[in-house]
Amino acid sequence: MNNGIDKKNIKKGLLPYLFLAIIMLGVYYTFAVLNKDVKILTYDEFNEKLENEKITELELVTRGSAYTYEVTGKLEGYKKNQYFTARLPLSEEVMKRIVDASDTQDFKFTTRDDPESSSFWLIIVNVLPLVLLVVLAFWFFNKQLAGNKSSMDFGKSKAKLNSDKDKVTFKDVAGLKEEKEEVKELIDFLKNPKRFQKLGARIPKGVLLFGPPGTGKTLLAKAVAGEADVPFYFISGSDFVELFVGVGASRVRDMFQQAKRTAPCLIFIDEIDAVGRQRGTGLGGGHDEREQTLNQLLTEMDGFGANEGIIIIAATNRPDVLDPALLRPGRFDRQITVNLPDVRGREEILAVHAKNKILADGITLENLAKRTPGFSGADLENLLNEAALLAVRRNKNAITMSEIDEATDRVLMGPAKTSHKYSENDRKLVAYHEAGHAVIGLKLRNASDVQKVTIIPRGSAGGYNMMVPSEEKLCSTKTDLLEEITGLLGGRTAEEVVFGEITTGAHNDFEKATKIARSMVTEYGMSDLGPLQFEQQAGSVFLGRDYNKSQHFSNEVANEIDMEMRKIIDNCHKKATEIIKKNTDLLKLIADSLLEYETLTKEQIDYLVKNGHMPEEDESNLEALSITKLKEIAKAKGIKNYSKMTKAELLKELDV
């Protein structure tokens, strides 16, 4: 097999050199002909040279079609590239004179027939070059088409037909119980359409799936096709839009023509907002192609033509930017929201993705689901994959809680910057800042549970505090939001109380706290201004993002809004200060433990709060040991400069 491939590649590699050799030979012979110095003699001049014995070499060509001889030769004094030529009457007298002269003068005399006198050679010389030229042109043209087939079918649909190898069923879709119930009618219709037609029921022509990224919209659409066992065409909305106006509309027509031939079938359009945004919002005329494509799609879905047995499923993250004509009954009749999974849904999703993973004893999917609120299905799959990669990198036989914690941090914040060094003063500032967040979270009744605190830099953060709600809620109360703001201000408050100084480390905390406070005043009606909404999101349909907000209030009300926001922030800051000052011992205990261990888990924090010290260290797990203990082990193993190393450097030296 490989030898055949190699020979084929060798032939392809030699082909250009063969063409180059032919061209070089042609150039050589062309120059050889051009370099010849040929003198044409008349019949009288030839006779004079022949009589005066000036000829040294002579060649005679017999022409069958003409009544002449053609002679070529050399005269005395000619150089290598000099020749003469002459035409002589076709007669026995001329031939006898030349033969007699060659005998007496002893010059070289040869004769040959003209190729044109033979029909075979006539074809070879005159027809074969033309045939070769046509064949080469045809081969080159086909070669170009083979390399760029899309240049001739740019108006064809790019929709791909799903193969049986990629078949997906509801068993592969976890955590979408209600969503699967909504689309079961489509499966029943595709399997037995007469059952619905008997009672005059019309199945939805289109189903729109919308929700956050990674929640399983595409997977759900594939599962519908897999359960119904019908052809499944899938295409992205961006595949319709091209530079040339009219190409997108042509592709829409071709896609529906293909689907009609295999009906009943499903068409899945991913990211339909790329082509289905509201019309009339383009800038500079560049929207013409998109609008024509959308118009054609609207016509195909619910126009004069009938598309029986074709159901369209589309997915988008931004239903608010879609054209209203797409969402009316008769087109996308049914709209299904695919939300982020709850704790039970996350457990089911984890079970699907953990089938081929080896988890260590003591790790349950239920606990993992509780630790990952806000994770989408794609995030959970990525979490287990990252944990498996870390386990392989650490030469472990199973995925432990250490890898899962690290994978969670990677998904949320990015990889740890273990090589980043900062001064002891900065480490102390970060430790007390994160400890301040932890203390507020531990002492507030409605606060989230503290799952992890670390001072290892990740992303743009010098450290972070991972807090998970004790229970998932559908909506937040005013108390919940106020305590969330108080928790965000805990880091800055700890800096003020302990050091009497403030840093730039609370920048992101202030950003989140200010956003919550403004939403409470302007959108949620949770202030003394009453249940009024002063601001609402006003997204730009063309840009596709909410860059601005529409405001409906006067300058006097704007001042009152600012005062209410300040009141909320000030009250939360005072509350945070009271809690920090009242629990300075706990603050110092957590901060000192962070400086020693760099990372504290929920179990370690709970033990600290209950017993006032860290639990006994297990030397078999070096990653959970304190820096002091690691330095003792490094000293015992004779590692140089261990006293100046960070925890990450010590673990690296100890081959962890």
Side-chain angles (χ1 to χ4, degrees), residues 111-346:
T111 61
R112 64 181 177 87
D113 292 333
D114 185 13
E116 292 184 1
S117 61
S118 171
S119 59
F120 174 77
W121 286 108
L122 180 66
I123 294 173
I124 294 297
V125 172
N126 295 293
V127 179
L128 186 60
L130 183 61
V131 173
L132 288 175
L133 184 63
V134 172
V135 170
L136 285 174
F138 185 76
W139 175 81
F140 182 76
F141 186 70
N142 282 343
K143 197 76 173 177
Q144 292 298 314
L145 287 181
N148 189 16
K149 292 181 180 179
S150 60
S151 62
M152 301 300 292
D153 60 358
F154 54 83
K156 298 293 184 180
S157 170
K158 291 187 177 181
K160 298 178 181 178
L161 186 63
N162 199 37
S163 62
D164 292 337
K165 295 180 181 179
D166 303 325
K167 190 173 180 179
V168 178
T169 62
F170 281 163
K171 293 180 181 179
D172 304 306
V173 182
L176 299 175
K177 184 177 180 180
E178 291 78 10
E179 289 81 356
K180 286 189 283 189
E181 290 292 334
E182 284 289 321
V183 297
K184 276 186 177 179
E185 281 184 0
L186 304 180
I187 300 171
D188 294 338
F189 173 77
L190 291 169
K191 286 184 175 180
N192 188 12
K194 293 182 179 179
R195 177 186 168 200
F196 292 84
Q197 295 168 356
K198 183 178 179 181
L199 295 178
R202 180 182 62 81
I203 204 68
K205 290 188 177 180
V207 177
L208 180 66
L209 306 175
F210 60 89
T215 50
K217 299 183 290 294
T218 303
L219 189 66
L220 181 61
K222 288 184 177 180
V224 173
E227 290 288 337
D229 196 22
V230 297
F232 176 73
Y233 295 91
F234 58 97
I235 190 172
S236 172
S238 60
D239 288 334
F240 291 115
V241 183
E242 288 288 350
L243 173 65
F244 303 105
V245 176
V247 173
S250 174
R251 288 179 178 175
V252 172
R253 288 191 295 269
D254 186 66
M255 179 181 69
F256 277 89
Q257 287 174 2
Q258 291 182 29
K260 287 177 184 177
R261 290 194 289 266
T262 57
C265 64
L266 279 174
I267 296 176
F268 176 65
I269 305 176
D270 199 10
E271 306 297 344
I272 194 174
D273 53 281
V275 70
R277 291 184 182 181
Q278 291 185 20
R279 288 166 288 183
T281 56
L283 301 176
H287 61 295
D288 288 345
E289 162 65 359
R290 181 175 55 80
E291 290 191 2
Q292 285 197 22
T293 307
L294 175 59
N295 291 337
Q296 186 64 44
L297 181 61
L298 295 174
T299 303
E300 293 288 347
M301 288 187 69
D302 188 22
F304 289 104
N307 289 315
E308 303 242 346
I310 300 175
I311 297 178
I312 301 174
I313 302 179
T316 181
N317 304 325
R318 294 298 308 271
D320 54 306
V321 304
L322 295 179
D323 194 275
L326 265 179
L327 306 178
R328 74 160 176 82
R331 289 186 177 126
F332 284 107
D333 307 77
R334 186 166 298 178
Q335 300 170 26
I336 302 175
T337 304
V338 185
N339 283 321
L340 292 170
D342 58 6
V343 62
R344 187 177 300 174
R346 292 196 298 274

Side-chain angles (χ1 to χ4, degrees), residues 85-103:
T85 180
R87 286 185 178 275
L88 311 178
L90 183 63
S91 66
E92 293 183 1
E93 181 183 351
V94 172
M95 178 62 72
K96 184 176 183 303
R97 192 184 319 127
I98 294 174
V99 172
D100 292 342
S102 66
D103 292 338

Side-chain angles (χ1 to χ4, degrees), residues 628-641:
T628 303
K629 191 66 177 178
L630 287 174
K631 287 182 178 179
E632 291 177 2
I633 297 174
K635 181 181 179 181
K637 290 192 174 184
I639 297 175
K640 298 179 180 179
N641 300 323

